[in-house]
Every structure is written in structure tokens, then in C-alpha cells.
Amino acid sequence: MTYLFLFCLPFLGISQADTLKLKDKTLLIGEVKLLKQGVITIETDYSDSDFKVEFDKVDYIHLKKKTLVILTEGRRRFGNLTTNKKGLGQVITEDGKIHTFTLSEMVALNEIDDEFWERFMGSIDLGYNISKANNLHQFTASGALHYIDKMWLMDGSISILNSIQDDADKTKRTDAKLDIYRIIIDGKWYLLANTSFLSNTEQALDARISPSLGAGKFIKNNNKLYWGLTLGFSYNIENYVDSSLDKTSSEAFIGSVLNLFNFEDISLTAEARLLPSLSQKGRIRSDVDTTVKYDLPSDFYIKAGFSINYDNQPAIEGNDTDYVLTTGVGWKFD
């Protein structure tokens, strides 16, 4: 990426703003938004749009806010980020310790705002399908909300599908999740609290609420992907269309989360859980969710998602599997 403009602002403003100096001597001054997918984004006062710079072209970085820096092998550092005279990145922590590393070791960074509500970011997308055959009308909507702090992460999501067509029952599905992570042991291990909600007409399920607790480890965490494994316990509260089938149960679970992000404008997330029952003999459930996004200009994106839920002891015989494939156009915000 070649920049044709050299921005030379008065240097008295440098101490009051984030600063990037590129290897071609270009100087960018403004507010760094994030480092993700090998690209660092900076907002400046002298441009209508944000600059996106390939991070391997950065020679010097200095950020004014305290910053959460994610390094290779899952290492996490929190403090004031700058570059020393040797060209190494360094984070000065709140207790005065200095941690140094090469800039190429940085996987991601997020400036942590002092205001709680400014630490959230999210996205929303919509889709609509219509077909003359069977007079099909299908509406999908989904949203996501993320929070990041020094040692806490939060991911929330919701997905809604409503489908109507002639000579067929109305199809409805709502899937929502909330994951809260507490990072421990230098960012390689974490504790997890999760609550999920599922309602779908295919399995005659009015609502399944499943709070769970677990612990996990990042198996791989670098500038191309992260992959984590989690073990834990879950409790189900299940209400069906036929209330005589309502029940509660407990389960163990093993889960895996994969996030691929350093592939140009494409990102992929996948999560799978296997849930053997502890209170119902022989019952096994599984949940799989996969989402692919392609980034468009101005924080818009197109998305395709696939979810499948399996229960070998369904409330209605023959309805052991429910799956949905959705597409849509969305917008990210922070």
C-alpha cells in the first residue's frame, strides 16, 4: 500500500493524539481504532474516511490511551503502548513494568476507553427472500454486541428467522447467546459463563434456556486465527408446544471456537458444542454455528450463516435435527 500524501501537522499536537510513522516516513496523527486482520485503522481530522494501513508497514507507534495488546501465543499486555529507540514495541503497565516485543508479534490491539459504554462495539444485518413458487416470504435479522476490557470479554448475539409460504406451517426460529470470558494465566486460559436461548418450530420447542459455566484454553492464537477449547457444565430449562413434555436436565459439554480473520476482507467464525446429558440416560445434543462475512466500504458487509441443532431424544419423533442457512447485508458500529 503506497500513500501519496505526507501529513505534517504541528508537532505540539502529537502528544495529544495517537501517532503512526510508516517505513516510507509518512506520519499519521489521529485516533487509532484497532489492529485486526493485519491492518491498523486510524481516524484523522484531515480526512473524511479512516486510514487503513497494513501493519507490517508501520515503523513507529505511540498511543495516548491505555491499550490492550494481544501478542502471539495468546500473551496479553495492558498499559501505555509506544515504540522505543531500538524500534521495539513496549507496553508500560500500571505498576511501572516495561514489556518489550517486536511489532511483528502484535496480533491485535484495542484502546480501552475510560467510559464503560464506549467499550462496546456491534453489528446488525437484515435479509429478505421472496419467491413466486409457494408464495414464499422469508425474513431474517441478526445482531451482535461485543465488549472488551483488560481481562474481560463479552460476546452477545441474536438471530431471528420467520418464514411463511402457502400450504405449509409458519416457520419461526430465534437463537440468542451471551458469552462472558474472564482471561487468566497470561491470556492462555479463561473462565466462561454462558447463557443461550433457542426457540424453533421444527423441534416444537417454545424455549430452551441453558446457562452454563466452564473453563478453556486457547490452543492457537496468532495473527491469522485463534482457536480455543472449552469444558464445562450446562443446565437446561426446556418448554415445548406440548407443555406435558416440559423438562429440565443437566449436561456436560465440550466446545470449540475457531476464528479466521487475516484473509483480506473475509472473516470466518465457527463454534461447535457436544453436550452429553448427565441426567437423561443416552441423550446427546450438539450445536454448530458458522458465519462468513465479506467486508464492504463504509463498515458495511455481506454475510452467510449456517446453524444446526441435533438432539437424539427429541420431543417429537423424527424431528431430531433443525438447521438454517441465512444470508444478509449488515453494518458494523462502535
Side-chain angles (χ1 to χ4, degrees):
M1 184 183 300
T2 301
Y3 287 87
L4 302 178
F5 299 99
L6 178 64
F7 297 98
C8 299
L9 294 186
F11 277 84
L12 62 86
I14 291 180
S15 63
Q16 301 300 318
D18 299 336
T19 305
L20 295 180
K21 186 173 75 173
L22 309 187
K23 292 178 180 179
D24 66 1
K25 308 304 180 182
T26 300
L27 189 67
L28 298 175
I29 300 171
E31 181 184 357
V32 167
K33 296 292 190 67
L34 77 165
L35 167 63
K36 184 179 179 182
Q37 302 177 11
V39 174
I40 190 165
T41 302
I42 181 170
E43 178 185 23
T44 67
D45 292 334
Y46 38 84
S47 176
D48 292 335
S49 58
D50 296 343
F51 285 95
K52 295 182 183 294
V53 181
E54 295 176 18
F55 193 63
D56 60 6
K57 290 181 168 56
V58 173
D59 189 53
Y60 173 91
I61 182 171
H62 176 82
L63 304 187
K64 65 175 183 175
K65 292 181 181 178
K66 287 185 172 59
T67 303
L68 175 63
V69 179
I70 312 297
L71 304 172
T72 54
E73 299 180 354
R75 294 169 293 159
R76 300 165 69 87
R77 301 292 183 262
F78 178 75
N80 296 106
L81 172 65
T82 189
T83 308
N84 64 20
K85 294 180 180 179
K86 296 181 179 180
L88 297 174
Q90 66 178 35
V91 170
I92 304 172
T93 60
E94 293 173 317
D95 58 6
K97 294 182 179 179
I98 299 176
H99 301 270
T100 60
F101 43 85
T102 62
L103 294 183
S104 62
E105 292 180 87
M106 290 176 57
V107 175
L109 66 82
N110 282 277
E111 289 190 317
I112 305 298
D113 290 289
D114 293 331
E115 296 293 330
F116 173 79
W117 294 109
E118 293 180 358
R119 300 172 187 170
F120 286 89
M121 63 187 70
S123 62
I124 184 170
D125 48 81
L126 303 172
Y128 187 75
N129 300 316
I130 185 170
S131 172
K132 181 179 179 181
N134 297 325
N135 193 26
L136 171 66
H137 294 263
Q138 184 182 73
F139 171 77
T140 62
S142 62
L145 189 65
H146 310 284
Y147 172 87
I148 187 168
D149 201 343
K150 177 182 177 181
M151 299 302 291
W152 293 90
L153 299 173
M154 186 276 286
D155 286 309
S157 65
I158 185 170
S159 178
I160 299 171
L161 179 146
N162 285 326
S163 181
I164 302 174
Q165 60 181 318
D166 294 342
D167 303 320
D169 294 334
K170 181 184 294 186
T171 300
K172 291 185 176 182
R173 178 189 170 94
T174 302
D175 191 354
K177 298 177 183 177
L178 178 64
D179 296 318
I180 300 175
Y181 297 85
R182 176 64 165 90
I183 309 299
I184 58 176
I185 313 180
D186 200 27
K188 295 182 180 179
W189 294 82
Y190 55 86
L191 302 176
L192 170 67
N194 164 276
T195 298
S196 63
F197 173 88
L198 177 65
S199 173
N200 68 60
T201 51
E202 175 65 21
Q203 295 175 313
L205 183 64
D206 268 349
R208 176 190 290 133
I209 301 173
S210 303
S212 62
L213 293 173
K217 181 181 181 180
F218 289 113
I219 305 301
K220 196 77 172 179
N221 189 4
N222 57 35
N223 61 353
K224 289 185 178 295
L225 64 90
Y226 72 77
W227 173 36
L229 293 178
T230 307
L231 293 171
F233 298 93
S234 182
Y235 184 75
N236 289 326
I237 304 169
E238 296 173 303
N239 296 320
Y240 291 88
V241 174
D242 182 351
S243 59
S244 65
L245 301 175
D246 293 354
K247 57 190 172 185
T248 60
S249 61
S250 57
E251 299 170 319
F253 74 82
I254 178 170
S256 179
V257 177
L258 176 66
N259 192 328
L260 305 175
F261 47 80
N262 199 4
F263 297 91
E264 299 295 337
D265 294 321
I266 297 175
S267 61
L268 180 146
T269 59
E271 182 176 3
R273 276 193 177 191
L274 183 66
L275 303 107
S277 180
L278 299 175
S279 59
Q280 293 180 275
K281 185 177 180 180
R283 186 184 185 191
I284 298 177
R285 297 193 307 109
S286 63
D287 298 324
V288 177
D289 294 290
T290 303
T291 300
V292 179
K293 291 183 179 180
Y294 182 81
D295 290 337
L296 302 172
S298 302
D299 291 329
F300 285 92
Y301 60 87
I302 55 177
K303 184 197 84 166
F306 177 73
S307 297
I308 183 169
N309 306 102
Y310 172 77
D311 185 346
N312 72 336
Q313 295 181 10
I316 299 177
E317 187 174 351
N319 288 5
D320 53 2
T321 304
D322 180 45
Y323 64 88
V324 59
L325 176 65
T326 59
T327 59
V329 176
W331 176 67
K332 297 178 290 186
F333 61 89
D334 54 25

